[in-house]
């Protein structure tokens, strides 16, 4: 089966997803065969994955049950921590299972996401009765439940649009998030929330910024396709950097900007003002096609 959105969802469901749900509304399917993933031996169980895993495994500590409170462990220690009822997260699984990398690339292309998009695969292995605390992510997730059952509770985010960093309820807001977000709640509003139960063969799409929490019923293993989506500001700043560094003047050392000598600091500000005046004069000549040629070419 050739990797891609159609292979994952099916033709009819792909049209429904793209028309009614992408990119901001949750979407779920159940009873999928998921054969391409079931055939991967190392995804058959926690033991199978640990047997081939090299490097650290992230274990979620019991105080928050979230990656915001976690430790890195060796594969052998991760098994012990799981026995002690700590959830495990395997990062960048596509680097160890190359066929998953093909799926990451195909899904990014089919969804029309920018070339700068960072896509990866995660595997969550969750003990019975455990899960993640309510939070939202700055990325999108396609969750494929391969083994076990997990209940997801989701709710729309009425406190911030299009967040650029994740946030877990009850923890301090990131300094990047705080300037443009409302004060965060400490629980998901029951009237807003929905529950979706994922069983083997279930798929769930979780939009960026959507509140969610999870709880496993029995040991559960899920494969996630996760994409950090560049926004318009990211595209502009990337193209701007490429364009400015063509100029020897913009490549000059930013000399004197932190100097305790007032005359040096004044000279630095004057020099910077001159460059900004030239930039402002050039901006009306910019077109979206030129920016996208720089970022997508």
């Amino acid at each position: 089966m050739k990797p891609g959105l159609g292979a994952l969802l099916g033709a009819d469901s792909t049209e429904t997803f793209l028309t009614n749900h992408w990119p901001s509304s949750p979407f779920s399917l159940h009873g999928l065969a998921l054969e391409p993933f079931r055939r991967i031996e190392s995804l058959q169980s926690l033991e199978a994955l640990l047997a081939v895993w090299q490097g650290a495994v992230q274990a979620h500590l019991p105080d928050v049950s979230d990656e915001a409170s976690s430790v890195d462990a060796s594969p052998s220690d991760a098994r012990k921590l799981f026995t002690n009822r700590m959830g495990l997260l395997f990062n960048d699984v596509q680097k160890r299972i190359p066929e998953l990398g093909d799926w990451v690339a195909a899904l990014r292309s089919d969804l029309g996401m920018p070339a700068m998009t960072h896509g990866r695969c995660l595997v969550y292995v969750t003990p019975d009765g455990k899960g993640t605390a309510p939070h939202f992510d700055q990325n999108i997730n396609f969750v494929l439940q391969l083994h076990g059952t997990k209940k997801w509770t989701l709710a729309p985010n009425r406190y911030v649009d299009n967040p650029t960093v994740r946030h877990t309820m009850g923890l301090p807001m990131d300094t990047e998030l705080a300037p443009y977000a409302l004060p965060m709640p400490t629980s998901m509003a029951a009237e807003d929330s929905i529950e979706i139960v994922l069983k083997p063969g279930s798929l769930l799409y979780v939009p960026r910024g959507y509140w969610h929490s999870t709880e496993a019923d029995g040991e559960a293993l899920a494969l996630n396709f996760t994409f950090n989506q560049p926004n318009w500001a990211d595209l502009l700043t990337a193209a701007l950097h490429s364009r400015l560094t063509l100029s020897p003047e913009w490549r000059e050392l930013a000399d004197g900007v932190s100097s305790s000598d007032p005359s040096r600091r004044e000279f630095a500000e004057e020099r910077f003002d001159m460059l900004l005046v030239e930039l402002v004069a050039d901006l009306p000549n910019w077109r979206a096609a030129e920016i996208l040629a720089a970022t997508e070419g």
Side-chain angles (χ1 to χ4, degrees):
M1 179 185 295
K2 183 179 179 181
L5 192 64
L8 189 64
L9 306 182
D12 291 342
S13 294
T14 296
E15 182 177 357
T16 298
F17 170 71
L18 292 175
T19 302
N20 300 327
H21 297 272
W22 173 258
S24 56
S25 175
F27 176 77
S28 61
L29 284 174
H30 303 280
L32 301 176
L34 299 180
E35 282 305 315
F37 312 107
R38 296 188 188 280
R39 290 197 298 265
I40 300 173
E41 184 175 349
S42 53
L43 295 180
Q44 297 310 303
S45 66
L46 172 59
E47 285 69 24
L49 186 55
L50 287 172
V52 301
W53 195 258
Q54 297 177 350
V57 181
Q58 189 179 103
H60 297 162
L61 299 175
D63 59 339
V64 180
S65 296
D66 184 80
E67 62 189 72
S69 177
S70 61
V71 294
D72 287 340
S74 67
S76 59
D77 287 341
R79 188 64 184 90
K80 298 173 186 175
L81 294 172
F82 185 80
T83 301
N84 288 323
R85 298 177 52 74
M86 296 186 195
L88 303 179
L89 169 58
F90 296 79
N91 275 295
D92 288 316
V93 182
Q94 79 284 353
K95 293 182 179 179
R96 294 164 176 82
I97 305 176
E99 54 263 50
L100 293 180
D102 296 336
W103 280 89
V104 170
L107 290 173
R108 185 201 66 78
S109 177
D110 289 348
L111 290 166
M113 289 186 280
M116 293 167 53
T117 301
H118 175 51
R120 58 196 172 118
C121 283
L122 311 175
V123 169
Y124 287 87
V125 190
T126 312
D128 178 34
K130 295 293 184 177
T132 55
H135 68 283
F136 62 75
D137 296 307
Q138 81 282 10
N139 47 44
I140 65 163
N141 283 284
F142 289 93
V143 183
L144 306 180
Q145 195 68 32
L146 299 183
H147 306 285
T149 300
K150 185 180 282 187
K151 180 180 72 175
W152 286 69
T153 304
L154 302 99
N157 192 337
R158 307 191 189 284
Y159 300 85
V160 60
D161 293 327
N162 302 318
T164 54
V165 292
R166 78 189 301 275
H167 174 71
T168 300
M169 283 186 182
L171 297 181
M173 270 196 282
D174 187 279
T175 54
E176 181 177 331
L177 181 65
Y180 59 82
L182 297 174
M184 291 294 167
T186 56
S187 63
M188 283 195 283
E191 64 272 16
D192 277 349
S193 65
I194 58 172
E195 289 187 356
I196 299 175
V197 177
L198 301 187
K199 297 182 178 181
S202 293
L203 175 146
L204 173 65
Y205 166 69
V206 183
R208 168 189 178 192
Y210 225 84
W211 292 109
H212 56 281
S213 63
T214 66
E215 183 180 355
D217 182 5
E219 294 184 4
L221 187 152
L223 171 67
N224 283 29
F225 290 101
T226 299
F227 297 92
N228 282 19
Q229 305 159 283
N231 53 44
W232 296 115
D234 294 325
L235 296 183
L236 177 60
T237 52
L240 183 62
H241 183 269
S242 296
R243 185 151 176 162
L244 294 183
T245 52
L246 295 175
S247 163
E249 288 79 14
W250 277 100
R251 296 197 306 270
E252 287 178 0
L253 172 67
D255 182 45
V257 296
S258 296
S259 176
S260 58
D261 181 345
S263 62
R264 287 190 63 202
R265 176 60 183 263
E266 182 180 359
F267 178 81
E269 291 178 355
E270 290 175 355
R271 177 63 174 154
F272 201 11
D273 274 334
M274 182 190 73
L275 292 171
L276 291 174
V277 167
E278 294 176 356
L279 174 61
V280 170
D282 185 42
L283 281 176
N285 301 317
W286 283 47
R287 296 293 180 269
E290 294 175 349
I291 295 173
L292 295 177
T295 61
E296 306 305 301

